[in-house]
């Protein structure tokens, strides 16, 4: 197998992982990434179940485990910052055995280094015709396979498939870096009030903290490229709210980065059209509420390359992935409902549960039961 040329759009998670597997199967691979360099900042993500097998087969699981965030505990606080309860992070997040939590940027770097393929930064696909791809830079190229791994709002998907519905799950999420004035040390601190979730975590008192602001809302109209407008939306949603809302909003104005997006899912009706195939969030974004998007992108990359090598082709990729994807999307929808409790009563129940849980002799089994659907979804594929 020689000279088959693949172009992969997006060097996030799915893109570099797919580059790794296609290159090993003999494809000549080019990655194109719109950002001027690898986007190595960002938030922490979980890798669970079948996806940990993919990391092992890539030979990067041990290195990823070494970069685990090492979060010790999750602490729920009241409006004035007083502690309600703390629980071990691994227990609450349901991490088992080989599962890990890693900063998305660290994972991207690991995957990209392992893939070792040519990467064009600062460019993107502008047009796809029967014979050739045109880039925003004006360059052109010919490829046998085009993989759209350019995320939830994939441009490549739009070029090849037209508009694909993005399902709004009732809220907006954001994350940005702030100085760690609280001295947070391997801990995640969470505060909720009806329709609002505010959290902050840091990997040591000397490291910057990451804040997350999530709020319930109907779909809003805003310019996705206008960070100033997104900051205004956060100010409107969190000004005068509890815990450190106003301090974090003040820090937001100087934050070096901001991720802001709707809490939403993509479930592409088809994963491929001609020689263009969708991968990761571009095809099946389960939403950050699921904690499964990274895992789907990793498993998808593996299955895609495997099916192309073993005769299943692009149809085989969709056939193998679809049931696993559907399980994870269903799980994501369920989690999105609980992510931001809508009433004081629901928050009161949750707080009571957290306060009493740590004294419960069978707390591990109780949490396992609650998280069983997550483990089921994470392992709902044989690879
Ligand atoms: C706050 C937050 C927390 C999360 N927590 C978790 C978690 O705990 N567990 C989990 O599994 N997942 C989590 N996720 C989701 C996870 O980050 C994504 O599902 C995962 O990164 C998807 O990988 P991907 O490669 O499909 O897309 P991305 O990682 O989004 O990568 C897409 C890449 O494409 C690039 N790009 C975009 N447009 C273009 C273009 N036109 N041309 C070229 N390149 C382009 C982008 O710059 C980016 O590098 C979380 C997400 C958020 C926002």
């Amino acid at each position: 197998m020689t000279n088959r040329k693949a172009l992969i759009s997006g060097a996030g998670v799915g893109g570099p992982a797919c580059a790794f597997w296609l290159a090993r199967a003999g494809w000549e691979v080019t990655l194109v990434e719109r950002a001027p360099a690898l986007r190595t900042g960002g938030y922490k993500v979980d890798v669970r179940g079948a996806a940990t097998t993919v990391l092992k087969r890539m030979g990067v699981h041990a290195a990823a485990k070494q970069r685990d965030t090492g979060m010790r505990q999750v602490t729920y606080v009241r409006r004035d910052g007083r502690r309600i309860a703390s629980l071990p992070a691994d227990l609450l997040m349901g991490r088992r055995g080989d599962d890990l939590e890693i900063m998305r940027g660290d994972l991207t770097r690991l995957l990209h280094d392992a893939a070792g393929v040519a990467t064009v930064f600062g460019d993107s696909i502008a047009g796809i015709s029967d014979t050739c791809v045109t880039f925003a830079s004006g360059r052109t190229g010919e490829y046998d396979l085009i993989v759209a791994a350019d995320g939830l709002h994939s441009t490549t998907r739009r070029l090849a498939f037209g508009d694909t519905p993005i399902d709004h799950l009732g809220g907006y999420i954001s994350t940005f870096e702030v100085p760690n004035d609280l001295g947070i040390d391997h801990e995640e601190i969470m505060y909720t009030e009806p329709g609002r979730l505010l959290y902050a975590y840091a990997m040591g008192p000397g490291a910057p903290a990451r804040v997350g602001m999530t709020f319930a809302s109907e779909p809003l109209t805003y310019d996705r490229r206008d960070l100033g407008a997104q900051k205004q939306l956060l100010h409107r949603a969190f000004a005068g709210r509890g815990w450190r809302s106003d301090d974090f909003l003040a820090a937001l104005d100087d934050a070096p980065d901001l991720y802001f997006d709707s809490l939403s899912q993509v479930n592409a009706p088809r994963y491929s059209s001609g020689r263009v195939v969708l991968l990761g969030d571009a095809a099946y974004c389960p939403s950050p509420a699921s904690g499964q998007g990274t895992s789907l992108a990793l498993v998808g990359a593996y299955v895609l390359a495997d099916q192309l090598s073993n005769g299943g082709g692009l149809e085989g990729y969709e056939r193998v992935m679809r049931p696993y994807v559907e399980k994870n999307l269903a799980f994501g929808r369920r989690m999105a409902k609980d992510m931001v409790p809508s009433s004081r009563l629901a928050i009161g129940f949750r707080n009571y549960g957290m306060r009493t849980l740590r004294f419960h002799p069978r707390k591990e089994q109780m949490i396992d039961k609650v998280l069983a659907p997550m483990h089921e979804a994470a392992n709902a594929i044989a690879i």
Side-chain angles (χ1 to χ4, degrees):
M1 190 191 324
T2 53
N3 290 337
R4 288 197 297 171
K5 289 176 74 179
L7 174 67
I8 301 174
S9 174
V13 174
C18 185
F20 175 96
W21 290 111
L22 287 180
R24 260 135 208 88
W27 289 75
E28 189 184 320
V29 180
T30 304
L31 256 176
V32 60
E33 164 60 49
R34 188 173 55 186
L38 270 193
R39 297 174 64 188
T40 51
Y43 40 85
K44 56 188 178 61
V45 295
D46 291 298
V47 180
R48 293 195 188 92
T52 62
T53 306
V54 173
L55 290 186
K56 280 189 212 154
R57 291 186 188 167
M58 292 177 77
V60 299
H61 184 266
K65 201 74 176 163
Q66 265 176 12
R67 288 169 180 73
D68 193 286
T69 59
M71 286 293 153
R72 285 180 299 115
Q73 63 179 13
V74 178
T75 294
Y76 288 83
V77 295
R78 294 192 171 79
R79 190 179 171 84
D80 59 6
R82 271 181 308 138
R83 172 188 304 249
I84 297 168
S86 296
L87 285 164
D90 281 352
L91 177 70
L92 199 63
M93 300 302 172
R95 278 184 284 277
R96 292 174 171 172
D98 294 328
D99 295 352
L100 55 94
E101 183 180 67
I102 185 170
M103 294 304 281
R104 181 184 162 285
D106 287 347
L107 181 62
T108 291
R109 165 77 61 204
L110 262 180
L111 297 171
H112 190 257
D113 287 353
V117 303
T119 306
V120 180
F121 290 103
D123 207 354
S124 57
I125 299 174
I128 301 171
S129 74
D130 286 346
T131 52
C132 109
V133 170
T134 310
F135 293 89
S137 62
R139 288 185 313 114
T140 57
E142 288 179 19
Y143 303 93
D144 302 294
L145 178 72
I146 300 160
V147 181
D150 41 6
L152 174 62
H153 302 284
S154 169
T155 310
T156 314
R157 182 183 65 214
R158 184 169 43 73
L159 291 171
F161 295 74
D163 282 336
T164 300
I166 294 183
D167 301 327
H168 182 72
L169 298 184
Y172 285 82
I173 60 166
S174 68
T175 165
F176 51 94
E177 189 178 297
V178 303
N180 189 359
D181 295 337
L182 292 169
I184 303 172
D185 184 4
H186 293 94
E187 184 179 18
E188 184 159 11
I189 305 179
M190 300 194 121
Y191 167 73
T192 34
E193 58 182 78
R196 303 287 183 275
L197 164 66
L198 178 62
Y199 60 86
Y201 59 83
M203 283 147 74
R210 269 213 95 72
V211 162
M213 289 183 159
T214 300
F215 61 97
S217 167
E218 293 302 308
L220 300 169
T221 306
Y222 65 97
D223 181 348
R224 283 202 308 108
R225 283 157 305 180
D226 184 349
L227 287 184
Q230 294 161 29
K231 288 181 180 180
Q232 280 314 310
L233 290 172
L234 289 171
H235 273 275
R236 217 174 298 153
F238 280 90
R241 301 281 177 161
W243 190 38
R244 295 274 177 155
S245 293
D246 288 335
D247 296 343
F248 291 151
L249 285 176
L252 167 66
D253 295 333
D254 300 322
D257 60 344
L258 169 65
Y259 174 92
F260 181 94
D261 212 329
S262 74
L263 189 62
S264 45
Q265 289 194 331
V266 167
N267 188 7
R270 287 173 302 144
Y271 296 170
S272 63
S273 170
R275 70 210 148 99
V276 183
V277 62
L278 307 176
L279 171 66
D281 277 2
Y284 31 76
C285 172
S287 91
S290 72
Q292 278 293 103
T294 305
S295 294
L296 290 192
L298 286 168
V299 172
Y302 176 87
V303 171
L304 174 59
D306 186 46
Q307 289 294 318
L308 289 172
S309 296
N310 296 326
L314 299 180
E315 297 76 24
Y317 161 61
E318 178 156 349
R319 193 183 57 252
V320 174
M321 284 298 288
R322 185 71 80 178
Y324 169 60
V325 164
E326 296 289 352
K327 268 230 151 78
N328 282 281
L329 290 172
F331 175 69
R333 285 191 293 275
R334 205 156 54 232
M335 294 306 284
K337 274 203 195 106
D338 298 338
M339 195 170 176
V340 186
S342 57
S343 69
R344 294 213 175 278
L345 189 67
I347 294 171
F349 269 130
R350 201 268 328 271
N351 290 349
Y352 175 77
M354 292 297 162
R355 267 202 317 270
T356 50
L357 187 66
R358 67 202 158 112
F359 303 114
H360 202 286
R362 291 168 54 81
K363 60 177 177 296
E364 282 83 7
Q365 290 89 328
M366 280 175 70
I367 290 191
D368 261 9
K369 201 167 165 200
V370 172
L371 295 178
M374 181 181 78
H375 294 298
E376 234 171 76
N379 289 290
I381 189 168
I383 56 166

